[in-house]
Amino acid sequence: MAHVKTLAEFITERQHEFTYATGELSQLLTSFRLAGKMVNREVNKAGLAEDILGAQGSENIQGEQQQKLDVYANDLFIRLLRSQGMVCAVASEENDDIVHFDNGGKYVVTMDPLDGSSNIDVNVSIGTIFSIYRRVSTGDKATMEDFMQPGTAQVAAGYIIYGSSTMLVYTTGHGVNGFTLDPSIGTFCLSHPDMKTPADGKIFSVNEGNLYDFDPAVQRYIDDCKKQKMSARYIGSLVADFHRNLMKGGIYLYPATSKSPQGKLRLLYEANPLAYLVEQAGGAATNGTTRILDLMPTELHQRCPLYIGSKNMVEGAMKA
Ligand code: AHM
Ligand code: MG
């Protein structure tokens, strides 16, 4: 039987690629590996547990109602990151402010602990998105400066998709690798080494319900996709739409609308980590005019329009 490489083995084998101290990366990723398995367990039995399903009653800073699983995932990731010691502060889509650990850790994390929350109750794929930065401030506590770094400063980024199977996909700037959870042994195994996204694709993913709210250039682009008889595929879970397009070739777009002039998605938790991954896989990501990774964040929960996926398709959308 061929040897199956586990995520833990792979991280150890590749840790020399990590710019900073050997061993730090594996410690950093351990929290996500472990929390991912635990969230997966809860997601899988969500339909069974009355107290897990349904709204928690509280609203997050964007005014959206939080589901119980969001809160569970957020608490879990924060607890594991805190206990593991490498990370001194976290900015989460589910917390209004920075969460400080006061432990002198050299890294900060931004994350969307459970993205696609409207899909939890209906048994549709959801995901976790994370990104890791080296701390730049020098005082006792991390500061906003640590989180206001451009996407180019990410030292690692990844997502976990809780789908028909559960996968963890990450990059440290040396390509993208994907690991599938074998539920029978509870281990992520290397299933998608060195992932590359096709330069062209036949899928466009957009919430067309907003069509008349989009800029005429975006409307024209969507029209063009139809004239070329491309396939429309939209799950409404960014991680799932992104993952499918990464594998098959396609474009995901969440443009500005009149209701959300900066689009809906968050730069720190969604756009930057996925932009880093897509570029590492040979694709592209922009906000319509500027490369996502070059944007200078000015606030934690900042939103930005997002055009992401196959290189030629993203470039085509920019020219529309
Ligand atoms: P969330 O972070 O509150 O879950 O919202 C983000 C989600 C993305 O996963 C998805 O691509 C998008 O919102 C869908 O938005 P819409 O329902 O407007 O199409
Ligand atoms: Mg989200």
Side-chain angles (χ1 to χ4, degrees):
M1 192 175 119
H3 177 66
V4 177
K5 193 165 289 173
T6 67
L7 174 58
E9 286 171 339
F10 185 87
I11 294 170
T12 309
E13 193 181 294
R14 297 289 186 95
Q15 54 191 357
H16 62 272
E17 291 176 347
F18 192 57
T19 321
Y20 303 101
T22 313
E24 289 188 351
L25 176 68
S26 86
Q27 286 190 55
L28 282 164
L29 290 175
T30 295
S31 312
F32 292 101
R33 199 175 93 218
L34 194 57
K37 287 184 208 174
M38 293 166 80
V39 171
N40 175 64
R41 189 187 58 198
E42 297 307 312
V43 167
N44 276 193
K45 66 180 189 198
L48 294 171
E50 264 297 296
D51 60 339
I52 296 278
L53 270 184
Q56 172 93 323
S58 55
E59 287 193 347
N60 67 9
I61 196 168
Q62 280 88 21
E64 297 152 348
Q65 212 173 44
Q66 287 184 6
Q67 306 296 122
K68 280 189 178 177
L69 262 177
D70 299 18
V71 178
Y72 171 83
N74 194 41
D75 291 351
L76 184 66
F77 278 101
I78 288 178
R79 210 166 63 231
L80 289 179
L81 285 165
R82 186 195 296 272
S83 70
Q84 171 269 352
M86 305 291 302
V87 170
C88 64
V90 170
S92 163
E93 195 187 298
E94 301 298 341
N95 292 96
D96 297 356
D97 299 312
I98 300 169
V99 179
H100 291 277
F101 297 162
D102 297 323
N103 60 0
K106 288 185 249 168
Y107 297 88
V108 299
V109 160
T110 68
M111 65 173 181
D112 183 350
L114 213 52
D115 179 70
S117 39
S118 64
N119 280 328
I120 296 173
D121 286 4
V122 288
N123 206 352
V124 173
S125 300
I126 46 183
T128 296
I129 313 174
F130 63 91
S131 150
I132 305 172
Y133 296 80
R134 186 86 170 167
R135 187 184 167 191
V136 287
S137 68
T138 51
D140 285 354
K141 271 181 160 194
T143 65
M144 273 295 274
E145 190 194 349
D146 298 312
F147 292 95
M148 298 300 103
Q149 301 187 59
T152 46
Q154 291 171 95
V155 296
Y159 61 83
I160 303 164
I161 176 168
Y162 312 98
S164 47
S165 60
T166 291
M167 278 187 76
L168 188 151
V169 177
Y170 82 95
T171 185
T172 57
H174 300 270
V176 179
N177 291 283
F179 302 81
T180 303
L181 182 65
D182 180 340
S184 64
I185 52 171
T187 304
F188 282 107
C189 301
L190 179 62
S191 51
H192 297 67
D194 198 19
M195 294 167 82
K196 292 287 173 220
T197 195
D200 275 303
K202 295 216 170 307
I203 297 173
F204 69 104
S205 309
V206 61
N207 185 344
E208 256 199 284
N210 297 327
L211 186 73
Y212 297 118
D213 251 4
F214 295 153
D215 188 84
V218 179
Q219 296 187 22
R220 268 199 312 277
Y221 178 73
I222 294 172
D223 230 33
D224 271 2
C225 291
K226 293 180 181 173
K227 285 182 188 141
Q228 290 175 50
K229 298 212 182 305
M230 290 189 181
S231 288
R233 292 284 184 275
Y234 191 72
I235 295 171
S237 281
L238 175 61
V239 173
D241 281 309
F242 175 84
H243 181 72
R244 181 201 52 241
N245 291 0
L246 184 74
M247 307 274 288
K248 296 193 172 215
I251 183 170
Y252 172 98
L253 44 154
Y254 208 111
T257 62
S258 46
K259 189 175 126 212
S260 318
Q262 289 309 315
K264 177 186 183 191
L265 301 174
R266 264 68 75 172
L267 175 60
L268 265 58
Y269 317 117
E270 289 158 332
N272 264 339
L274 298 185
Y276 190 25
L277 285 156
V278 86
E279 284 198 7
Q280 283 294 316
T286 79
N287 69 352
T289 51
T290 308
R291 180 186 176 216
I292 292 288
L293 296 182
D294 286 335
L295 296 172
M296 274 310 286
T298 53
E299 50 186 282
L300 285 181
H301 297 281
Q302 186 171 340
R303 297 173 192 264
C304 69
L306 181 63
Y307 300 76
I308 190 165
S310 293
K311 201 162 195 288
N312 297 342
M313 295 180 84
V314 172
E315 280 169 11
M318 294 312 93
K319 286 187 201 129

